[in-house]
Amino acid sequence: LDATFADGHPRPGSAGVAVQSGGIGIALLDGLSRLGIGVSSFVSLGDKYDVSGNDMLQWWETDGRTDLALLHLESFGNPRAFSRTARRVARRMPVLTVDAGRSAAGRRAAASHTAAAATPTMTRRALFTQAGITATSSVGELLEAAALLYSQTLPEGNRVAIVTNAGGAGVLAADACAEAGLALPPFTPTMIDELLAVLPDGAAIGNPIDATAAVTEEQLTDCVDALMEYPGIDAVLVALVPTALATATGDNLVRALTGAPGRRSKPVLAVRLEQDLPVRLLPAADEGGTVPAYAEPQAAARALAHAADRAAWLARPAGTVPALDDVDAERAHALADAHLAAHPDGGWLDPRTCADLLACYGIPQIPWAWAETEDDAVRAAGRLQGADGRVVMKAHWPGLVHKSEERAVHLDLRGEPQVRAAFRDLETRFGHLMTGVVVQSLARRGTELFAGVVQDEVFGPLVLFGLGGTATEILADHAARLAPLTDHDVHDLITSPRCAPLLFGTRGNGPVDLEALEQLLLRLSRMAADLPQLAEADFNPVLATPGGVTVLDARVRLLPRRPQDPYLRRLR
């Protein structure tokens, strides 16, 4: 161990801290000290040759004196075990981390610092989200969130009431809450009347509530108490600025937040724009109680959003991996073994092998045919043409990745002359490479999506989902979760991308077949979990309509890999 520390008199609510960098640990200890949060144990893990983050989580779970876990990890030896342990520990106490190495430069620095592979941001975030870990972008943000989780009850939702004694401060707080994804619902007429009855004349009862500079300590206390009883909000944020009137009358508006006997039923937090420290814990009237106060509304809103996310994660039962029908894993393994026997270095599957592999998992594909000659293409087009007589032709050769960029696709082909002309064009331009063409039915209109898998050397398969089509990489509207996917993971994948509203029906269009979309992602996850040789899978586009989901184009790359126990401890 680089260093260990345990204070002599830890009290309930004390924090456990584990870092891979001693300098970060000093910053965390200093921040916790300023907040008045005791430290039950501190470990600088360094390269983690003897003690890992998993070890620390298990220690804090059982030591009987830690109620808040803070982590700064730059690498993971066995992330599956970490995820399994963190999911369990996070049910008992908040687990917070700094998401370090978000940039390419940061990952390079982490790799040189820890001598271990740094993980791409999307993969780490998927791990943190699934395990219920509160991931922050800086030490400061971690301390902001820790102050709220340490001192307040969790909100039941993300609805916030803002109270201020200055309109400008209320505007800043409202912007910060909206940007953090929090809701500011309007009040009911009955609640408006109740608030007007306790606040001074001239108060504006919107959300934010402008209590004006004339508000007294007693009036602000009555306002906050009324909001505690109001079922339409989940938390109260009070933004205060110093006023000459409060100084003249001797009113201490902060005491309206800290003077309540006993812990309040909803989280209460303050924003004090004149505060010198980014976050402080103000002593409350109840013994040992505190109220977090922030110097910036953005910090308060971020902390409250983290608390709301944690509450939502805790309220959701643990997911399960659904059983799937019509899966032939034995044949899938045989296909992978046969491909790698013929191609010892691995590579992209040809269209026929790829289709066979997808069929092993019941993944729906648009009807298609393989053609190596012009006449074969004409016959295939005759079989596959729809009511309008149109088909699609795609060139293929080993290693072809982006067909559209290579202009290796012909769309809307109608009739034998156009099919022949398209084949001749592809043969002329790519004859030295092309091994054949794929002829497909022309798909009907629908929402183009993307689904794929990337195999991480340490974390295992990562399932990605989002907006598809030719602009998928430019728009980068993707969500990710680690396989195997549970039913909750699939729901999160579908609802997380910005394109999600398209799937649930917009502008008169009905929702796509969500059950079929869930099945597609579950089957892709199962395929990735079954085959350690699967390095990449790319389904783009996936056409989603109210009547079903179909893969229009699929690519799969295999590499010679041996199965590994995902829970085996690996230091490197």
Side-chain angles (χ1 to χ4, degrees), residues 230-445:
Y230 176 57
I233 59 102
D234 304 301
V236 178
L237 189 155
V238 182
L240 300 174
V241 299
T243 65
L245 187 56
T247 302
T249 60
D251 279 300
N252 184 348
L253 298 184
V254 172
R255 199 157 51 213
L257 310 181
T258 61
R263 176 174 284 199
R264 287 189 164 107
S265 58
K266 298 173 183 177
V268 176
L269 55 163
V271 172
R272 303 168 67 201
L273 296 177
E274 82 285 3
Q275 185 171 289
D276 56 344
L277 295 175
V279 58
R280 298 180 62 188
L281 286 176
L282 307 175
D286 60 313
E287 184 177 354
T290 53
V291 174
Y294 300 87
E296 291 285 344
Q298 290 83 357
R302 282 194 301 265
L304 192 52
H306 284 308
D309 288 343
R310 171 164 172 76
W313 184 83
L314 287 172
R316 191 170 68 175
T320 58
V321 178
L324 298 175
D325 297 327
D326 303 323
V327 170
D328 190 347
E330 184 176 349
R331 174 164 167 71
H333 281 287
L335 288 169
D337 291 342
H339 176 81
L340 292 173
H343 306 85
D345 295 331
W348 296 97
L349 300 183
D350 64 79
R352 287 169 289 189
T353 306
C354 185
D356 288 344
L357 183 61
L358 268 59
C360 291
Y361 291 91
I363 296 174
Q365 306 165 71
I366 194 168
W368 68 280
W370 175 255
E372 296 183 2
T373 67
E374 183 179 322
D375 290 337
D376 288 344
V378 170
R379 285 191 290 270
R383 294 195 308 272
L384 295 171
Q385 65 185 9
D388 56 5
R390 292 183 292 175
V391 296
V392 174
M393 185 182 297
K394 304 174 182 178
H396 174 77
W397 63 84
L400 175 60
V401 177
H402 298 294
K403 300 181 182 70
S404 297
E405 291 182 7
E406 298 285 349
R407 295 186 297 116
V409 178
H410 282 290
L411 305 173
D412 297 327
L413 302 177
R414 189 197 303 267
E416 180 178 333
Q418 291 188 7
V419 172
R420 290 187 180 278
F423 187 93
R424 290 170 185 167
D425 171 68
L426 296 175
E427 191 174 42
T428 299
R429 290 188 291 122
F430 307 117
H432 60 297
L433 295 172
M434 194 172 75
T435 56
V437 299
V438 171
V439 181
Q440 294 178 332
S441 305
L442 183 68
R444 54 184 173 175
R445 297 176 65 86

Side-chain angles (χ1 to χ4, degrees), residues 141-178:
E141 185 182 342
L142 183 144
L143 291 170
E144 294 161 5
L148 179 58
L149 294 172
Y150 169 82
S151 63
Q152 299 292 298
T153 56
L154 289 174
E156 293 185 359
N158 70 340
R159 301 168 301 172
V160 185
I162 297 174
V163 185
T164 181
N165 66 338
V171 172
L172 293 175
D175 285 343
C177 287

Side-chain angles (χ1 to χ4, degrees), residues 16-32:
V17 180
V19 298
Q20 275 187 264
S21 168
I24 299 297
I26 292 172
L28 282 173
L29 289 175
D30 182 61
L32 293 170

Side-chain angles (χ1 to χ4, degrees), residues 74 100-112 118:
E74 297 170 2
R102 299 185 302 278
S103 66
R107 287 193 292 275
R108 287 195 300 270
S112 63

